[in-house]
Amino acid sequence: GAASTAAFDWLAARPEVDGERIVAMGKSLGGGVVADLSRARPLAGLILQSTFTSLPDLLWESYAIPAWLVRDRFDVRQALRAFGGRVLILHGDHDLVIPERHFDRLRQAAGRSRSLFQACGHADCPVWDDSYWTTTLRFLAAIE
């Protein structure tokens, strides 16, 4: 929304920032926010952690809430199909909030992507883990 585009514009206007190499990261609902941002601003990459395919998909599949009740769609899968930059998708193997099938669908939708499936849940994935940092730093180093 407006806050994420304003944050991007502020950052991209800074003289010490290369506006063509900005990577946005979002976790859970934040993944939907940065996916929407990728449709509004030229991001070089996206990092999505514990993110759903779309809010209507998640709410219907997990809670039987119909899509017509959902105002903010946060259609991450559609955004990934349209996105030309690199994508890193991180997810826990026993995430009880966002099922594994969302991770699989996002990987299929993302063109140039890397992924890491960790031994964790939704909010307890270890960022101090070597595989997390190795994967993330390799991903960032590949941003042109």
Side-chain angles (χ1 to χ4, degrees), residues 5-17:
T5 55
F8 177 93
D9 293 344
W10 174 83
L11 183 64
R14 304 215 25 111
E16 68 273 16
V17 173

Side-chain angles (χ1 to χ4, degrees), residues 29 52-60 70 72-76:
L29 183 61
F52 46 78
T53 55
S54 76
L55 199 50
D57 286 351
L58 175 67
L59 294 176
W60 176 250
V70 182
D72 294 317
R73 312 219 42 96
F74 295 120
D75 195 333
V76 179

Side-chain angles (χ1 to χ4, degrees), residues 1-47:
S4 61
T5 55
F8 177 93
D9 293 344
W10 174 83
L11 183 64
R14 304 215 25 111
E16 68 273 16
V17 173
D18 181 349
E20 294 181 9
R21 299 188 70 207
I22 296 175
V23 175
M25 179 178 185
K27 182 175 181 180
S28 192
L29 183 61
V33 173
V34 299
D36 279 0
L37 177 63
S38 76
R39 300 183 126 210
R41 295 295 186 266
L43 295 171
L46 285 171
I47 300 175

Side-chain angles (χ1 to χ4, degrees), residues 84-105:
R86 295 187 180 275
V87 180
L88 173 59
I89 304 168
L90 309 161
H91 207 89
D93 65 355
H94 55 275
D95 188 331
L96 300 178
V97 177
I98 304 193
E100 179 181 338
R101 64 183 168 270
H102 289 262
F103 170 75
D104 294 332
R105 292 175 192 160

